[in-house]
């Protein structure tokens, strides 16, 4: 008997290329789209190592944990890094980016996370892109948590390296990801002696051996299951309509914010301004004295299938994440999450001992 996952015909170069084209349409981009055979951290790291070096001055915007990681990679590449950190309850503004350029005109690279599932904020990429473009810097964007939940438009926004993954709002696989690469970004990589070559992290390998060869020969056997899952997930978005998928996420976020306040137990949206809150996931702040990780544990004991998590690291005490993305971007899931959180908030085990 043939097995549905195991006995598959090989994935052809033509099908691989057609999946890249589907992803390019999703991003509304004419740039090259390279699909990478790994979780999104692969193109995120590959794009930084390909373009940054000792001559680079990078403005690294930190609005959550990923910005921290990008700064570490940039420093590891020998770049001079200017960190611009904003509090996690807000977004960065285009004016702050302008000020950073005024203070450091030598900035030639900007790294930014579009939406942060981990902190629940989303940044105004269109306006920031105008500023970055005006200064001629290369613009690197992590759109893993925004793609499918809100517009991601690398060409319109002047993004040179736009990384996406399918595992959040796209409702797809985590083991494959993609990056759109502008001509400017390819030129920067070609001129960078430290850009990975003959390496799994190398985007240049894909440019030279796949794209420039007319996409006829793959560099290695494609990750077949993930590629088929990615194709299925983009087809499903096309069938539902990208606008409809995004509207589901926006509605889930709005309902979660309103519902948390309506519960009356002191839960508040973590991101103060709704316009700066990411449609992909909503973060909530517990009232002082209430341990967020205990609330989440209690809610999950009522229903272990809920997409709830406490914040990472130090945020575990005060932040609840409602990950209403992909198949969970529905009113039903939001209602179930809110009902469980409401019940958990009345439990006595959730109070944290005040440190003296
Ligand atoms: C989820 C996410 C990623 C992917 O990383 P994981 O550790 O696999 O979750 C990358 N960037 C952002 C902004 C994300 O939200």
């Amino acid at each position: 008997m043939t097995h549905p996952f195991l006995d598959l015909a090989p994935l052809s170069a033509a099908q691989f290329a057609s999946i890249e084209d589907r992803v390019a349409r999703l991003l509304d981009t004419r740039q090259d789209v390279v699909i990478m055979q790994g979780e999104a951290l692969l193109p995120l790291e590959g794009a930084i190592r390909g373009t940054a070096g000792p001559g680079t001055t990078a403005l690294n915007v930190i609005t959550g944990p990923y910005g921290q990681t990008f700064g570490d990679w940039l420093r590891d590449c020998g770049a001079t890094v200017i960190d611009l950190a904003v509090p996690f309850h807000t977004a960065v503004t285009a004016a702050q980016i302008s000020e950073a350029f005024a203070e450091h005109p030598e900035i030639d690279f900007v790294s930014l996370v579009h939406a942060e599932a981990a902190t629940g904020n989303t940044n105004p990429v269109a306006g920031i892109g105008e500023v970055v473009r005006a200064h001629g810097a290369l613009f690197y964007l992590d759109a893993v948590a925004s793609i499918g939940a809100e517009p991601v438009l690398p060409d319109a926004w002047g993004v040179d390296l736009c990384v996406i993954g399918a595992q959040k709002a796209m409702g797809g696989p985590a083991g494959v990801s993609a990056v759109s690469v502008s001509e400017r970004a390819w030129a920067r990589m070609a001129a960078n002696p430290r850009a990975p070559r003959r390496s799994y992290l190398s985007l240049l390998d894909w440019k030279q051996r796949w794209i420039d060869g007319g996409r006829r020969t793959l560099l290695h056997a494609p990750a077949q299951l993930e590629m088929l899952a990615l194709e299925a997930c983009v087809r499903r978005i096309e069938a539902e309509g990208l606008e409809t998928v995004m509207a589901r996420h926006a509605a889930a976020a709005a309902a979660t914010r309103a519902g948390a306040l309506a519960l009356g137990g002191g839960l508040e949206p973590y991101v103060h301004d709704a316009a700066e809150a990411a449609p992909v996931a909503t973060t909530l702040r517990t009232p002082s004295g209430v341990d967020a990780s205990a609330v989440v544990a209690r809610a999950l004991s009522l229903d272990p299938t809920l997409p709830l998590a406490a914040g990472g690291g130090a945020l575990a005490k005060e932040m609840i994440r409602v990950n209403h993305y992909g198949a969970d971007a529905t009113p039903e899931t939001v209602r179930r999450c809110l009902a469980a959180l409401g019940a958990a908030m009345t439990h006595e085990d959730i109070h944290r001992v005040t440190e003296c």
Side-chain angles (χ1 to χ4, degrees), residues 18-333:
S18 89
I19 299 168
E20 284 183 335
D21 293 342
R22 271 185 198 282
V23 172
R25 282 199 294 276
L26 193 70
L27 291 170
D28 202 12
T29 184
R30 301 176 67 83
Q31 297 177 11
D32 290 321
V33 166
V34 182
I35 291 184
M36 298 213 83
Q37 317 274 299
E39 201 273 337
L41 286 164
L42 177 61
L44 286 169
E45 182 174 352
I48 282 185
R49 294 199 185 277
T51 49
T56 306
T57 302
L59 175 65
N60 181 48
V61 183
I62 302 175
T63 56
Y66 290 96
Q68 208 83 51
T69 303
F70 302 160
D72 292 341
W73 286 332
L74 286 162
R75 273 178 268 271
D76 193 49
C77 290
T80 302
V81 182
I82 296 150
D83 284 322
L84 170 56
V86 303
F88 292 169
H89 61 72
T90 182
V92 73
T93 63
Q96 285 174 293
I97 305 293
S98 273
E99 284 159 29
F101 273 105
E103 225 174 294
H104 305 278
E106 69 278 18
I107 291 168
D108 61 359
F109 181 102
V110 174
S111 48
L112 176 72
V113 177
H114 185 186
E116 296 260 12
T119 45
N121 47 20
T122 188
N123 295 301
V125 182
I128 292 170
E130 276 178 38
V131 176
V132 176
R133 222 37 192 191
H135 290 84
L138 207 71
F139 192 16
Y140 164 101
L141 186 70
D142 173 351
V144 176
S146 50
I147 183 72
E150 56 188 303
V152 175
L153 301 166
D155 292 11
W157 297 342
V159 178
D160 294 290
L161 294 151
C162 183
V163 175
I164 65 157
Q167 73 262 41
K168 299 256 168 72
M170 288 175 69
V176 67
S177 47
V179 55
S180 66
V181 186
S182 72
E183 284 305 323
R184 279 155 35 94
W186 285 131
R188 192 81 82 98
M189 278 185 239
N192 180 5
R194 294 212 188 180
R197 289 169 172 84
R198 301 276 156 182
S199 155
Y200 209 63
L201 278 171
S202 176
L203 284 165
L204 277 179
D205 285 359
W206 284 88
K207 165 80 170 142
Q208 287 160 3
R209 294 162 62 194
W210 169 245
I211 296 170
D212 292 350
R215 297 195 298 177
R216 275 191 287 270
T217 316
L218 287 160
L219 273 59
H220 53 75
Q224 198 178 23
L225 280 175
E226 284 79 5
M227 290 303 293
L228 292 174
L230 176 62
E231 182 176 45
C233 125
V234 181
R235 277 181 186 274
R236 188 166 68 177
I237 292 169
E238 290 167 357
E240 184 179 352
L242 180 58
E243 293 294 330
T244 310
V245 175
M246 292 192 296
R248 264 200 293 117
H249 285 85
T256 306
R257 285 178 75 86
L261 287 171
L263 284 176
L267 280 182
E268 286 177 359
Y270 200 94
V271 178
H272 299 181
D273 181 351
E276 297 179 340
V280 70
T282 299
T283 46
L284 302 172
R285 185 190 287 278
T286 49
S288 75
V290 174
D291 185 14
S293 55
V295 175
V296 168
R298 177 63 50 187
L300 288 176
S301 75
L302 301 171
D303 184 349
T305 66
L306 294 174
L308 295 173
L315 295 172
K317 281 192 166 59
E318 60 178 34
M319 182 190 281
I320 296 172
R321 295 169 54 186
V322 185
N323 291 323
H324 45 64
Y325 52 71
D328 285 324
T330 64
E332 297 77 53
T333 300

